[in-house]
Short mmCIF file of all heavy atoms in Angstrom, two decimals:
data_model
loop_
_atom_site.label_atom_id
_atom_site.label_comp_id
_atom_site.label_asym_id
_atom_site.label_seq_id
_atom_site.Cartn_x
_atom_site.Cartn_y
_atom_site.Cartn_z
N ARG A 95 139.50 -3.25 -26.85
CA ARG A 95 138.20 -3.73 -26.44
C ARG A 95 138.18 -4.25 -25.00
O ARG A 95 137.52 -5.19 -24.66
CB ARG A 95 137.62 -4.75 -27.44
CG ARG A 95 136.89 -4.05 -28.59
CD ARG A 95 136.47 -5.08 -29.69
NE ARG A 95 135.88 -6.28 -29.21
CZ ARG A 95 135.96 -7.44 -29.91
NH1 ARG A 95 136.60 -7.50 -31.07
NH2 ARG A 95 135.45 -8.51 -29.36
N ALA A 96 139.12 -3.52 -24.22
CA ALA A 96 138.96 -3.59 -22.76
C ALA A 96 139.57 -4.88 -22.11
O ALA A 96 139.35 -5.10 -20.89
CB ALA A 96 137.56 -3.37 -22.24
N MET A 97 140.21 -5.74 -22.89
CA MET A 97 140.92 -6.82 -22.23
C MET A 97 142.05 -6.19 -21.28
O MET A 97 142.47 -5.10 -21.46
CB MET A 97 141.57 -7.69 -23.30
CG MET A 97 142.47 -8.83 -22.76
SD MET A 97 141.63 -10.03 -21.78
CE MET A 97 143.04 -11.10 -21.24
N LEU A 98 142.39 -6.97 -20.25
CA LEU A 98 143.49 -6.48 -19.43
C LEU A 98 144.82 -6.92 -20.00
O LEU A 98 145.03 -8.03 -20.39
CB LEU A 98 143.35 -7.04 -17.99
CG LEU A 98 142.01 -6.87 -17.31
CD1 LEU A 98 142.08 -7.26 -15.84
CD2 LEU A 98 141.60 -5.37 -17.43
N VAL A 99 145.74 -5.94 -20.14
CA VAL A 99 146.98 -6.20 -20.86
C VAL A 99 147.96 -6.89 -20.08
O VAL A 99 148.99 -7.37 -20.62
CB VAL A 99 147.54 -4.89 -21.48
CG1 VAL A 99 146.54 -4.19 -22.31
CG2 VAL A 99 148.11 -3.95 -20.40
N ALA A 100 147.79 -7.00 -18.78
CA ALA A 100 148.75 -7.74 -17.93
C ALA A 100 147.98 -8.36 -16.78
O ALA A 100 147.01 -7.87 -16.27
CB ALA A 100 149.84 -6.73 -17.39
N GLU A 101 148.67 -9.40 -16.27
CA GLU A 101 148.15 -10.10 -15.08
C GLU A 101 149.34 -10.44 -14.16
O GLU A 101 150.47 -10.56 -14.70
CB GLU A 101 147.44 -11.40 -15.39
CG GLU A 101 146.19 -11.27 -16.26
CD GLU A 101 145.65 -12.63 -16.67
OE1 GLU A 101 145.23 -13.45 -15.88
OE2 GLU A 101 145.71 -12.90 -17.96
N GLY A 102 149.11 -10.57 -12.92
CA GLY A 102 150.17 -11.00 -11.97
C GLY A 102 151.29 -9.98 -11.89
O GLY A 102 151.07 -8.77 -11.89
N LYS A 103 152.51 -10.47 -11.85
CA LYS A 103 153.66 -9.61 -11.85
C LYS A 103 154.80 -10.24 -12.60
O LYS A 103 154.76 -11.46 -12.94
CB LYS A 103 154.08 -9.36 -10.38
CG LYS A 103 154.44 -10.62 -9.62
CD LYS A 103 154.71 -10.35 -8.14
CE LYS A 103 154.98 -11.65 -7.48
NZ LYS A 103 155.31 -11.56 -6.07
N GLY A 104 155.92 -9.50 -12.86
CA GLY A 104 157.03 -10.11 -13.53
C GLY A 104 157.96 -9.04 -14.06
O GLY A 104 157.94 -7.87 -13.63
N ASN A 105 158.66 -9.43 -15.10
CA ASN A 105 159.57 -8.44 -15.84
C ASN A 105 159.22 -8.64 -17.30
O ASN A 105 159.04 -9.76 -17.83
CB ASN A 105 160.99 -8.73 -15.56
CG ASN A 105 161.85 -7.71 -16.22
OD1 ASN A 105 162.18 -7.75 -17.39
ND2 ASN A 105 162.32 -6.65 -15.41
N ALA A 106 158.97 -7.51 -18.03
CA ALA A 106 158.56 -7.58 -19.40
C ALA A 106 159.22 -6.51 -20.19
O ALA A 106 159.73 -5.46 -19.66
CB ALA A 106 157.03 -7.39 -19.45
N ARG A 107 159.26 -6.65 -21.53
CA ARG A 107 159.78 -5.58 -22.40
C ARG A 107 158.70 -4.60 -22.73
O ARG A 107 158.90 -3.55 -23.16
CB ARG A 107 160.35 -6.25 -23.66
CG ARG A 107 161.62 -7.09 -23.38
CD ARG A 107 162.07 -7.82 -24.62
NE ARG A 107 162.35 -6.89 -25.70
CZ ARG A 107 162.39 -7.27 -26.98
NH1 ARG A 107 162.14 -8.61 -27.31
NH2 ARG A 107 162.56 -6.37 -27.97
N GLY A 108 157.41 -5.11 -22.58
CA GLY A 108 156.31 -4.22 -22.84
C GLY A 108 155.07 -5.16 -22.52
O GLY A 108 155.21 -6.22 -22.06
N PHE A 109 153.90 -4.66 -22.95
CA PHE A 109 152.66 -5.43 -22.63
C PHE A 109 151.88 -5.72 -23.93
O PHE A 109 151.47 -4.84 -24.59
CB PHE A 109 151.84 -4.70 -21.64
CG PHE A 109 152.59 -4.37 -20.36
CD1 PHE A 109 153.08 -3.10 -20.19
CD2 PHE A 109 152.83 -5.36 -19.42
CE1 PHE A 109 153.79 -2.81 -19.06
CE2 PHE A 109 153.57 -5.12 -18.31
CZ PHE A 109 154.05 -3.80 -18.12
N VAL A 110 151.87 -7.00 -24.31
CA VAL A 110 151.12 -7.52 -25.42
C VAL A 110 149.74 -7.84 -24.99
O VAL A 110 149.62 -8.86 -24.24
CB VAL A 110 151.90 -8.64 -26.11
CG1 VAL A 110 151.10 -9.01 -27.41
CG2 VAL A 110 153.25 -8.29 -26.42
N CYS A 111 148.72 -7.18 -25.47
CA CYS A 111 147.39 -7.52 -25.08
C CYS A 111 147.08 -8.91 -25.71
O CYS A 111 147.26 -9.10 -26.98
CB CYS A 111 146.36 -6.53 -25.58
SG CYS A 111 144.65 -7.01 -25.18
N PRO A 112 146.67 -9.91 -24.88
CA PRO A 112 146.58 -11.32 -25.39
C PRO A 112 145.45 -11.40 -26.44
O PRO A 112 145.50 -12.37 -27.24
CB PRO A 112 146.20 -12.15 -24.14
CG PRO A 112 146.48 -11.24 -23.00
CD PRO A 112 146.40 -9.80 -23.49
N TYR A 113 144.51 -10.46 -26.49
CA TYR A 113 143.33 -10.67 -27.31
C TYR A 113 143.66 -10.42 -28.79
O TYR A 113 143.49 -11.37 -29.61
CB TYR A 113 142.24 -9.69 -26.83
CG TYR A 113 140.78 -10.14 -27.16
CD1 TYR A 113 139.77 -9.32 -26.65
CD2 TYR A 113 140.54 -11.25 -27.91
CE1 TYR A 113 138.46 -9.64 -26.87
CE2 TYR A 113 139.26 -11.52 -28.15
CZ TYR A 113 138.15 -10.80 -27.71
OH TYR A 113 136.86 -11.06 -27.96
N HIS A 114 144.10 -9.25 -29.15
CA HIS A 114 144.42 -9.00 -30.59
C HIS A 114 145.85 -8.43 -30.80
O HIS A 114 146.14 -7.79 -31.80
CB HIS A 114 143.37 -7.98 -31.18
CG HIS A 114 141.94 -8.32 -30.82
ND1 HIS A 114 141.35 -7.74 -29.77
CD2 HIS A 114 141.11 -9.16 -31.39
CE1 HIS A 114 140.10 -8.22 -29.64
NE2 HIS A 114 139.94 -9.07 -30.60
N HIS A 115 146.63 -8.56 -29.77
CA HIS A 115 148.12 -8.25 -29.83
C HIS A 115 148.38 -6.75 -30.06
O HIS A 115 149.40 -6.45 -30.68
CB HIS A 115 148.71 -9.17 -30.86
CG HIS A 115 148.90 -10.58 -30.38
ND1 HIS A 115 149.64 -11.56 -30.97
CD2 HIS A 115 148.25 -11.25 -29.41
CE1 HIS A 115 149.49 -12.67 -30.39
NE2 HIS A 115 148.65 -12.56 -29.41
N TRP A 116 147.63 -5.87 -29.54
CA TRP A 116 148.07 -4.50 -29.43
C TRP A 116 149.19 -4.51 -28.40
O TRP A 116 149.17 -5.22 -27.43
CB TRP A 116 147.00 -3.56 -28.94
CG TRP A 116 146.01 -3.16 -30.01
CD1 TRP A 116 145.63 -3.96 -31.12
CD2 TRP A 116 145.14 -2.08 -30.04
NE1 TRP A 116 144.60 -3.32 -31.79
CE2 TRP A 116 144.34 -2.13 -31.19
CE3 TRP A 116 144.96 -0.91 -29.15
CZ2 TRP A 116 143.33 -1.17 -31.55
CZ3 TRP A 116 144.05 0.03 -29.53
CH2 TRP A 116 143.24 -0.07 -30.69
N VAL A 117 150.27 -3.75 -28.71
CA VAL A 117 151.46 -3.82 -27.88
C VAL A 117 151.66 -2.41 -27.28
O VAL A 117 151.71 -1.40 -27.92
CB VAL A 117 152.72 -4.20 -28.75
CG1 VAL A 117 153.91 -4.20 -27.86
CG2 VAL A 117 152.50 -5.49 -29.44
N TYR A 118 151.81 -2.40 -25.93
CA TYR A 118 152.07 -1.23 -25.23
C TYR A 118 153.45 -1.22 -24.63
O TYR A 118 153.96 -2.26 -24.16
CB TYR A 118 151.04 -1.01 -24.02
CG TYR A 118 149.66 -0.93 -24.55
CD1 TYR A 118 148.82 -2.11 -24.70
CD2 TYR A 118 149.01 0.30 -24.76
CE1 TYR A 118 147.57 -2.09 -25.15
CE2 TYR A 118 147.69 0.37 -25.20
CZ TYR A 118 146.93 -0.85 -25.34
OH TYR A 118 145.66 -0.79 -25.73
N GLY A 119 154.12 -0.07 -24.61
CA GLY A 119 155.43 0.01 -24.02
C GLY A 119 155.29 0.08 -22.47
O GLY A 119 154.23 0.16 -21.87
N LEU A 120 156.46 -0.07 -21.83
CA LEU A 120 156.45 -0.07 -20.34
C LEU A 120 155.93 1.35 -19.83
O LEU A 120 155.58 1.43 -18.63
CB LEU A 120 157.90 -0.27 -19.84
CG LEU A 120 158.42 -1.75 -19.98
CD1 LEU A 120 159.98 -1.73 -19.87
CD2 LEU A 120 157.78 -2.70 -19.10
N ASP A 121 155.99 2.31 -20.64
CA ASP A 121 155.51 3.60 -20.21
C ASP A 121 154.01 3.79 -20.62
O ASP A 121 153.38 4.87 -20.41
CB ASP A 121 156.31 4.75 -20.91
CG ASP A 121 156.30 4.65 -22.40
OD1 ASP A 121 155.61 3.77 -22.93
OD2 ASP A 121 156.89 5.52 -23.06
N GLY A 122 153.41 2.71 -21.15
CA GLY A 122 151.95 2.72 -21.46
C GLY A 122 151.60 3.19 -22.88
O GLY A 122 150.39 3.14 -23.19
N ARG A 123 152.62 3.65 -23.59
CA ARG A 123 152.25 4.11 -24.97
C ARG A 123 151.94 2.92 -25.94
O ARG A 123 152.64 1.91 -25.85
CB ARG A 123 153.34 4.99 -25.58
CG ARG A 123 153.38 6.38 -25.00
CD ARG A 123 154.42 7.27 -25.63
NE ARG A 123 155.74 6.68 -25.41
CZ ARG A 123 156.86 7.10 -25.97
NH1 ARG A 123 156.81 8.13 -26.86
NH2 ARG A 123 158.02 6.60 -25.74
N LEU A 124 150.99 3.07 -26.76
CA LEU A 124 150.68 2.09 -27.77
C LEU A 124 151.73 2.08 -28.87
O LEU A 124 151.99 3.14 -29.44
CB LEU A 124 149.32 2.29 -28.41
CG LEU A 124 148.86 1.27 -29.44
CD1 LEU A 124 148.70 -0.04 -28.79
CD2 LEU A 124 147.59 1.65 -30.15
N VAL A 125 152.53 0.98 -29.00
CA VAL A 125 153.59 1.00 -29.99
C VAL A 125 153.32 0.11 -31.18
O VAL A 125 153.96 0.28 -32.22
CB VAL A 125 155.00 0.57 -29.31
CG1 VAL A 125 155.43 1.55 -28.27
CG2 VAL A 125 154.81 -0.85 -28.64
N ASN A 126 152.32 -0.70 -31.10
CA ASN A 126 151.93 -1.50 -32.29
C ASN A 126 150.52 -1.97 -32.16
O ASN A 126 150.06 -2.29 -31.09
CB ASN A 126 152.87 -2.73 -32.39
CG ASN A 126 152.85 -3.32 -33.89
OD1 ASN A 126 152.54 -2.60 -34.82
ND2 ASN A 126 153.02 -4.61 -33.92
N ALA A 127 149.83 -2.01 -33.31
CA ALA A 127 148.44 -2.47 -33.39
C ALA A 127 148.23 -3.18 -34.78
O ALA A 127 148.16 -2.38 -35.71
CB ALA A 127 147.47 -1.37 -33.13
N PRO A 128 148.29 -4.46 -34.80
CA PRO A 128 148.23 -5.19 -36.11
C PRO A 128 146.90 -4.89 -36.87
O PRO A 128 145.84 -4.81 -36.26
CB PRO A 128 148.43 -6.65 -35.74
CG PRO A 128 148.14 -6.70 -34.25
CD PRO A 128 148.37 -5.37 -33.69
N ALA A 129 147.03 -4.86 -38.18
CA ALA A 129 145.92 -4.83 -39.09
C ALA A 129 144.94 -3.71 -38.79
O ALA A 129 143.70 -3.85 -38.96
CB ALA A 129 145.16 -6.21 -38.96
N MET A 130 145.46 -2.57 -38.42
CA MET A 130 144.69 -1.41 -38.26
C MET A 130 144.85 -0.36 -39.35
O MET A 130 144.39 0.77 -39.28
CB MET A 130 145.00 -0.75 -36.86
CG MET A 130 144.74 -1.62 -35.63
SD MET A 130 142.93 -1.89 -35.44
CE MET A 130 142.34 -0.31 -34.87
#
Side-chain angles (χ1 to χ4, degrees):
R95 276 173 44 210
M97 173 62 183
L98 305 189
V99 303
E101 296 174 66
K103 60 184 177 178
N105 186 278
R107 293 174 56 202
F109 303 102
V110 182
C111 179
Y113 203 177
H114 313 95
H115 289 194
W116 283 24
V117 180
Y118 298 88
L120 291 163
D121 59 2
R123 280 185 299 173
L124 182 65
V125 292
N126 196 30
M130 295 295 288

